[in-house]
Structures are given as C-alpha cells and as structure tokens.
C-alpha cells in the first residue's frame, strides 16, 4: 500500500479525501471506519489510470484518527494511519475539505470523494457545474470499488458573482493590479527553507503547486515561511503510450521543445519502433505527428501520410468522447486528451495542468447567472 502513496505532486495521479473514503459504509467492508476501503480504492485507481504504479496524495481530517477510535474494526488501522501521518504520507488537518479544494484548484489533480462540497460553492464558484475534477468511489461487482466521474451540479447560484470569483483568486494573491494572473509567480520555481518540506522540492521535477502570496512574499502552504526563488520553472508534460489500453511507456517533454512522434522520427523524437509490435505498425508514419510545448501549453500537428490521427477528450462526465480527425493546423492537446495513431495505439496526456494553463482557466471561469437552479444533478 505504501508504494501507492506520495507526497510529490509531480507523481500524484489523484487526490484522495481519505476521511470520506474510510467512513463510506457502501464500500466493501463492514464497520464505521476501515482502511481496507482505501486498498479497494487503490485497485480502482490502477484500473482507471491504466497504471499499476498509480500514486495517490491523501488528505484527512484530524478527527479520523483521534475522534472515533472505537469505530475502527481493526485497531491496526489507527497505528497505520499514525505511521503515515508521521512519515508525511497523509496530510492531516483540522478540516480536510478546504485543503482538498485548494489543491485541486492549484494543481489540477482530480479529487476522489463522495462529498459535493455544497458549503464551499460561494467561496469556490468553479465547483458550480464542474464535471471534470471529481470522482466518486462506488460499490462495484464482487465487493470491488469503481470510480465514476461526478457532475457537481448547480447550487446557490444567486449568491455567486464576479466579485466573489475575483476574491477567490485574490485570496491566493495571484492577481495583479489589473486582476490578471501573476505570471511573474507562476513562471518561477519556489523552494521552502524547511528541510523536510516536499511541496516545493524542485529536485523532484517541476511541481504544479503554486505558493500563497502574503503581502509581496510567496509563502509555503504547509510551513508558512517565505519561499526562495529557485529559478525559472521548466514546464513539463507527461505522456503515456497505450497499446490496446495497456500502458507501454511514459515520456516527459519540456517547455520550449518540438517533438516529432512516429515509427522512426529521428533524433530528439519519440520512436515507437520497438514499443509497438511490427504487426501493429501498418499505417504508422515515420513522423506521424509533432507535439509543440509553448508557454506550458501542448499543441499537436498531424503529419501522418493520410491524415489518420484522431483526437478525443476523456474528461467528460459520460466518459470518453468520440474520436475526430485533426485539421491541417495545430490543435490544443489538453489534459486528459488522447490521440489515436493507428488502431489500438494511443498517446494519452496526463490530466495534470501547467501553471499557465491554470491561469488561463481562472480567466475563463465565470460565475453563473443569477437565478440559476439549486443542485440539479448529483451523479
């Protein structure tokens, strides 16, 4: 189990509302609280991410461990939780909800929870109608757990206004005097001088987590100290090569690069020869497509011989969308998107978003019009 827990946002595929999961009596285990539910959740996350090494970032209410010891059917669960907290594998807080939503907004990592966060809609209007950022653990066949995308629905829309949305961004100090995102902050790496802090450890790669601005100083979310400028942030993106749905390889691309992908694209490219069986390479061009990473955004250009590359989004509530052909110009290759090169051979983007993508998303979001309905969709 420990191998699937991480303190590194670069590795984390999902954020987990641990208290909600451990207390969910629907999930495969009798009793009020059980860590076995987390083990079932790990299996579901492996299947959804198509990654046997999937990593989870856990956030828990302090009351989970201290407020209901008698509710655990296995006292070993309490000792295990304590060990994880001491080792930093569980972030334990008086109230986990605000932290989970904060991390989701800052990193773009989806949250696994059964909570609808209705009480947070006023402060966080991006929850309204959200269909992309939340997964609910549900009972599956044979005592298993499955993860289903959640439509957060609409709630308290009349209380939401442009001023409230601006206040949410202002709370992080990430708006300048013209109410534009602070690119001078998001374009830099930040390091915490607390030696044990892993939130801003750039030796592990370019983390998407951004600091909270207090006054003019970027500060550590966990320790509260002023962060040190650690140089320009090199945006990275992770890609996965899937063959008939199975993970075959991972690739990491850096900002400012243009990378050809194909059967044998040459130096600096992603060569699929040797990764895709010879019998499956029919229709795969020497240079099948080109990926360009600029300002943290990924663009794809179809260069296949017959224009055969297809694109779809997998982030919607109803699951993967329909495959569609690419045009003659570059197109955005966003988080959660997939490219079909030839039958059964898919290049998938991680659901992670770059800081520049997050800033653009903040600018795009707008509150709902007054008078919108209460929660209309729940699952």
């Amino acid at each position: 189990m420990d191998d699937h827990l991480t303190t590194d946002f670069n590795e984390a595929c999902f954020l987990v509302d641990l208290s909600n999961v451990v207390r969910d009596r629907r999930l495969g285990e009798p009793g009020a609280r059980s860590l076995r539910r987390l083990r079932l959740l790990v299996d579901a996350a492996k299947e959804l991410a198509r990654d046997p090494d999937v990593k989870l970032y856990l956030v828990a209410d302090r009351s989970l461990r201290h407020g209901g010891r008698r509710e655990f059917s296995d006292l070993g669960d309490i000792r295990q939780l304590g060990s994880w907290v001491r080792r930093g594998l569980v972030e334990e807080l008086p109230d986990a909800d605000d932290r989970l939503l904060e991390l989701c907004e800052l990193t773009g990592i989806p949250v696994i929870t059964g909570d609808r966060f209705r009480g947070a809609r006023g402060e966080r209007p991006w929850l309204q109608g959200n269909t992309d950022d939340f997964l609910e653990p549900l009972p599956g066949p044979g005592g298993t757990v499955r993860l289903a995308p959640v439509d957060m629905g609409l709630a308290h829309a009349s209380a939401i206004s442009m001023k409230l949305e601006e206040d949410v961004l202002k709370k992080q100090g990430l708006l300048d005097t013209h109410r534009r995102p602070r690119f001078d902050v998001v374009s830099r790496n930040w390091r915490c001088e607390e030696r044990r802090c892993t939130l801003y450890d750039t030796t592990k790669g370019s983390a998407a987590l951004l600091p909270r601005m207090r006054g003019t100083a970027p500060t550590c979310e966990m320790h509260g100290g002023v962060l040190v400028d650690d140089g320009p942030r090199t945006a990275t993106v992770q890609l996965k090569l899937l063959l008939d749905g199975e993970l075959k390889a991972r690739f990491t691309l850096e900002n400012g690069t243009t990378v050809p992908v194909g059967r044998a694209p040459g130096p600096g490219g992603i060569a699929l020869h040797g990764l895709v069986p010879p019998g499956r390479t029919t229709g795969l061009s020497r240079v099948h497509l080109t990926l360009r990473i600029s300002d943290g955004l990924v663009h794809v250009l179809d260069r296949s011989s017959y224009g055969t590359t297809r694109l779809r989004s997998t982030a919607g509530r109803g699951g993967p969308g329909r495959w569609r052909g690419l045009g003659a110009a570059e197109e955005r290759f966003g988080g959660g998107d997939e490219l079909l090169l030839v039958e059964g051979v898919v290049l998938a983007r991680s659901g992670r978003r770059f800081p520049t993508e997050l800033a653009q998303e903040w600018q795009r979001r707008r509150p709902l019009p007054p008078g919108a309905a209460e929660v209309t969709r729940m699952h």
Side-chain angles (χ1 to χ4, degrees):
M1 171 70 73
D2 292 26
D3 292 342
H4 296 288
L5 310 184
T6 185
T7 60
D8 187 348
F9 291 105
N10 245 13
E11 294 183 341
C13 192
F14 302 105
L15 303 169
V16 177
D17 185 352
L18 185 62
S19 302
N20 184 274
V21 170
V22 167
R23 291 171 170 143
D24 193 338
R25 294 173 181 262
R26 300 173 302 167
L27 305 181
E29 182 77 2
R33 306 183 189 193
S34 173
L35 276 187
R36 175 169 161 70
R37 292 164 183 153
L38 177 63
R39 297 184 181 96
L40 295 172
L41 181 70
V42 168
D43 291 336
K46 289 180 187 177
E47 182 175 352
L48 182 64
R50 300 172 182 173
D51 184 356
D53 300 317
V54 68
K55 303 289 187 183
L56 310 178
Y57 187 98
L58 307 184
V59 184
D61 298 316
R62 191 164 295 152
S63 62
L64 178 65
R65 191 162 56 106
H66 300 291
R69 298 175 66 89
R70 294 182 180 179
E71 293 187 7
F72 281 96
S73 54
D74 184 351
L75 294 180
D77 285 357
I78 299 175
R79 292 190 292 271
Q80 181 67 79
L81 275 172
S83 172
W84 286 343
V85 170
R86 288 189 297 273
R87 293 156 55 199
L89 295 175
V90 172
E91 188 174 345
E92 188 178 71
L93 300 162
D95 181 10
D97 287 0
D98 189 61
R99 177 61 170 164
L100 282 163
L101 296 177
E102 188 174 51
L103 291 176
C104 179
E105 187 171 13
L106 291 174
T107 68
I109 305 174
V111 179
I112 297 176
T113 181
D115 200 332
R116 295 299 185 271
F117 302 107
R118 295 187 186 91
R121 303 291 178 103
E123 184 182 7
R124 301 183 186 276
W126 59 271
L127 289 168
Q128 292 287 75
N130 189 298
T131 60
D132 298 329
D133 295 323
F134 298 90
L135 297 162
E136 182 176 15
L138 297 172
T144 61
V145 167
R146 62 184 180 89
L147 295 173
V150 174
D151 183 341
M152 298 298 279
L154 310 180
H156 310 295
S158 61
I160 298 176
S161 66
M162 179 67 75
K163 179 65 167 61
L164 276 178
E165 183 169 11
E166 290 178 350
D167 286 346
V168 172
L169 306 185
K170 187 176 180 180
K171 178 182 176 181
Q172 291 299 123
L174 293 171
L175 293 177
D176 63 17
T177 56
H178 300 287
R179 294 202 173 274
R180 295 175 302 198
R182 290 281 304 272
F183 285 95
D184 59 324
V185 176
V186 303
S187 64
R188 310 293 295 179
N189 283 321
W190 300 98
R191 174 169 50 83
C192 179
E193 294 190 295
E194 169 61 52
R195 294 179 60 186
R196 295 173 297 175
C197 183
T198 61
L199 297 185
Y200 306 92
D201 186 355
T202 57
T203 64
K204 297 183 178 179
S206 178
L209 185 65
L210 300 176
R212 181 189 295 274
M213 299 296 292
R214 291 189 172 92
T216 59
T219 57
C220 178
E221 290 282 354
M222 181 174 292
H223 300 102
V226 176
L227 297 172
V228 177
D229 188 329
D230 209 25
R233 179 190 298 267
T234 301
T236 59
V237 57
Q238 291 185 343
L239 305 179
K240 298 179 180 180
L241 178 66
L242 306 175
L243 180 63
D244 296 330
E246 296 296 323
L247 180 67
K248 300 297 290 184
R250 297 185 183 90
F251 310 99
T252 300
L253 311 181
E254 291 191 352
N255 193 53
T257 60
T258 299
V259 181
V261 181
R263 188 179 67 254
I270 296 177
L272 302 182
H273 175 72
L275 295 174
V276 177
R280 306 292 298 278
T281 58
T282 302
L284 192 61
S285 302
R286 182 180 65 82
V287 177
H288 203 86
L289 56 87
T290 299
L291 298 173
R292 183 175 62 86
I293 301 89
S294 176
D295 295 327
L297 302 178
V298 184
H299 306 271
V300 58
L301 178 66
D302 186 5
R303 297 180 59 188
S304 57
S305 300
Y306 303 101
T308 58
T309 307
R310 298 289 183 265
L311 173 71
R312 73 176 179 184
S313 173
T314 65
R317 180 189 175 209
R322 293 182 179 180
W323 294 110
R324 64 174 180 82
L326 294 176
E330 285 187 337
E331 294 196 34
R332 171 87 175 272
F333 185 30
D337 286 353
E338 293 184 342
L339 291 165
L340 179 65
L341 309 186
V342 293
E343 187 64 33
V345 179
V346 171
L347 197 63
R349 258 213 66 181
S350 165
R352 300 291 303 280
R353 291 173 290 180
F354 290 122
T356 46
E357 287 181 298
L358 291 169
Q360 290 177 351
E361 178 71 8
W362 288 334
Q363 289 177 311
R364 183 187 67 80
R365 288 172 176 158
R366 291 293 181 269
L368 295 165
E374 292 292 308
V375 173
T376 57
R377 299 178 301 278
M378 294 300 298
H379 298 282

